[in-house]
Amino acid sequence: MIRHHGVRRRFVLTLLGAMALTGIIAIARLGFEWKQALDDVDAMIVTSVVLAPTPEPVISTSVLADAPVNPLPLLPTVAPTMAPENDDPVNILLLGADARVGEEISRTDAIILLHINPRTGRVSMLSFPRDLMVDTPGFGRRKINSVYLLGETRLGKGYGAALLKQTVSDLVGVPVHHFALINFEGFRRVIDLVGGISIDVPKVIDDPRYPVDAFPGDVRTMQVRFEPGRQWMDGERALIYARTRHADSDFGRNQRQQQVLLALVERVRERGLISQINKIDDYTSALRDYVRTDVPRSEMIRLARAASRMDLDNIQRYAIDSKMIITLGSPDTFAADPEALREVVDRMIAGGAPTP
């Protein structure tokens, strides 16, 4: 009898020991995953820079977006990011890089200003057409999609985002605190990682000249087509849907880009991925080579804590559309009407309803 109790006791102790060991291994694994995730996030974060003030250069304001200019130099100056505190609203410029195979620096194919207000729980976004003409500090009037490339090549590495943030801030009249840039491969990966997204295509999209881009210098095109109705898209298909524009226009593409972003947010929420902390390193490791941002880790934590108070079912969508533009010289060059833009920005910041 005593021996029986001894055996049972040893069994219980062994079981408890195994459970403790399993717990220790699980905690160690979770700690490793978090360390790996933090290392991945740190690899995405770049030093925030600002443009030093300079005298106004005497240069042409020709509507020719790519005309050569010789601006006065903008002195590179490393400076702390303008970080909002507590529940202050934050504006983040979301950028999609138009990098072809073999390119390291490129123009921006998607430009969206994201406004997050933790106090009210409101989230809104404002899209800019890639061909919009804007006044660029030190470089005169340029197409907005060329500003990032201009800063990187003319001012130095890291200054593309700084130049574009200042340009957008000057345009809309509100501070742009941070940026986040992702390239095509990162876009595909993140959508595939969540298992794809559901998109309700509002009308037929038929583009006979979508770029193939299979190797450096590839100039071939192919036909792509989307039938109307709800459909499931993997990363490659969603990228094509967001990028294609020959079927309609840049204004239509802006709407599709917003639609894809909202579908991605919904998919993440459906799968409860935010709460699956034991899988966080899967996502960060997949994106570390394809995302660059100047949002510091402390700001990410602040926004993550505020996420539970955000009304993600009612993200407000705004865009500079065909009703808000002024034609410059030819139908292919246009700028935003200042009064119309100011009205839209005011509604976005205040949380008013978008224009139908």
Side-chain angles (χ1 to χ4, degrees):
M1 188 71 175
I2 296 175
R3 183 179 178 184
H4 176 72
H5 282 297
V7 171
R8 186 170 65 180
R9 183 180 178 184
R10 285 195 298 273
F11 173 76
V12 172
L13 291 175
T14 301
L15 180 61
L16 291 174
M19 291 174 62
L21 181 60
T22 301
I24 291 172
I25 293 174
I27 292 173
R29 182 174 182 274
L30 184 59
F32 173 78
E33 289 172 346
W34 268 103
K35 182 182 183 305
Q36 182 61 54
L38 292 176
D39 288 344
D40 292 335
V41 169
D42 287 341
M44 301 178 199
I45 297 174
V46 297
T47 302
S48 179
V49 298
V50 296
L51 305 178
T54 61
E56 286 294 323
V58 181
I59 58 177
S60 170
T61 56
S62 166
V63 299
L64 297 177
D66 298 316
V69 297
N70 295 300
L72 296 175
L74 291 168
L75 303 177
T77 306
V78 177
T81 302
M82 300 178 296
E85 298 179 353
N86 302 320
D87 285 340
D88 291 346
V90 59
N91 300 314
I92 303 174
L93 200 58
L94 305 180
L95 307 173
D98 189 19
R100 299 300 196 268
V101 175
E103 291 181 343
E104 292 186 7
I105 305 173
S106 67
R107 302 186 181 207
T108 45
D109 196 62
I111 304 171
I112 299 174
L113 183 63
L114 183 68
H115 177 73
I116 304 172
N117 191 334
R119 293 173 183 165
T120 62
R122 291 186 180 275
V123 180
S124 53
M125 59 176 74
L126 172 64
S127 288
F128 301 84
R130 56 176 286 169
D131 291 334
L132 180 72
M133 301 297 292
V134 291
D135 292 324
T136 306
F139 292 94
R141 183 165 283 172
R142 296 284 177 140
K143 285 186 178 180
I144 194 170
N145 75 319
S146 69
V147 175
Y148 178 85
L149 179 63
L150 184 66
E152 290 290 302
T153 55
R154 300 289 288 273
L155 300 178
K157 187 175 181 180
Y159 284 87
L163 186 62
L164 186 51
K165 283 164 59 179
Q166 189 61 55
T167 298
V168 171
S169 179
D170 293 344
L171 178 67
V172 300
V174 299
V176 178
H177 303 102
H178 304 293
F179 82 94
L181 180 144
I182 186 169
N183 66 15
F184 290 162
E185 181 58 29
F187 181 90
R188 283 191 288 259
R189 280 179 176 245
V190 70
I191 291 179
D192 287 339
L193 204 57
V194 301
I197 57 176
S198 176
I199 293 289
D200 189 5
V201 179
K203 63 179 182 179
V204 173
I205 300 293
D206 193 350
D207 182 355
R209 293 180 291 145
Y210 186 83
V212 175
D213 193 29
F215 51 82
D218 188 1
V219 296
R220 296 174 299 164
T221 60
M222 63 180 181
Q223 182 168 11
V224 296
R225 183 179 176 87
F226 294 86
E227 298 295 338
R230 185 163 291 279
Q231 50 202 274
W232 201 258
M233 298 186 189
D234 62 9
E236 181 64 28
R237 189 69 173 165
L239 176 64
I240 294 174
Y241 181 73
R243 286 189 65 204
T244 181
R245 64 171 178 154
H246 295 116
D248 44 21
S249 65
D250 273 338
F251 305 114
R253 181 166 64 169
N254 283 349
Q255 295 298 319
R256 291 194 296 277
Q257 290 170 349
Q258 290 187 354
Q259 191 181 12
V260 168
L261 279 179
L262 294 181
L264 179 58
V265 170
E266 181 59 28
R267 180 61 172 163
V268 168
R269 295 176 64 204
E270 283 177 355
R271 299 191 61 186
L273 299 180
I274 294 177
S275 61
Q276 297 180 26
I277 60 175
N278 62 319
K279 294 183 178 181
I280 190 170
D281 62 319
D282 292 341
Y283 302 97
T284 57
S285 62
L287 294 175
R288 66 175 288 162
D289 294 330
Y290 306 105
V291 174
R292 291 295 177 265
T293 182
D294 64 351
V295 179
R297 198 195 294 178
S298 59
E299 180 73 351
M300 294 182 188
I301 294 173
R302 182 180 83 94
L303 294 175
R305 287 173 176 168
S308 62
R309 307 194 302 272
M310 297 295 174
D311 185 9
L312 298 181
D313 291 323
N314 190 31
I315 297 178
Q316 300 291 309
R317 299 169 59 182
Y318 303 86
I320 296 177
D321 58 26
S322 58
K323 295 177 291 186
M324 298 172 54
I325 62 173
I326 300 172
T327 302
L328 303 173
S330 72
D332 294 330
T333 57
F334 58 89
D337 179 278
E339 291 186 7
L341 179 58
R342 182 70 260 170
E343 182 181 346
V344 166
V345 173
D346 286 345
R347 284 204 307 273
M348 182 182 79
I349 300 300
T355 302

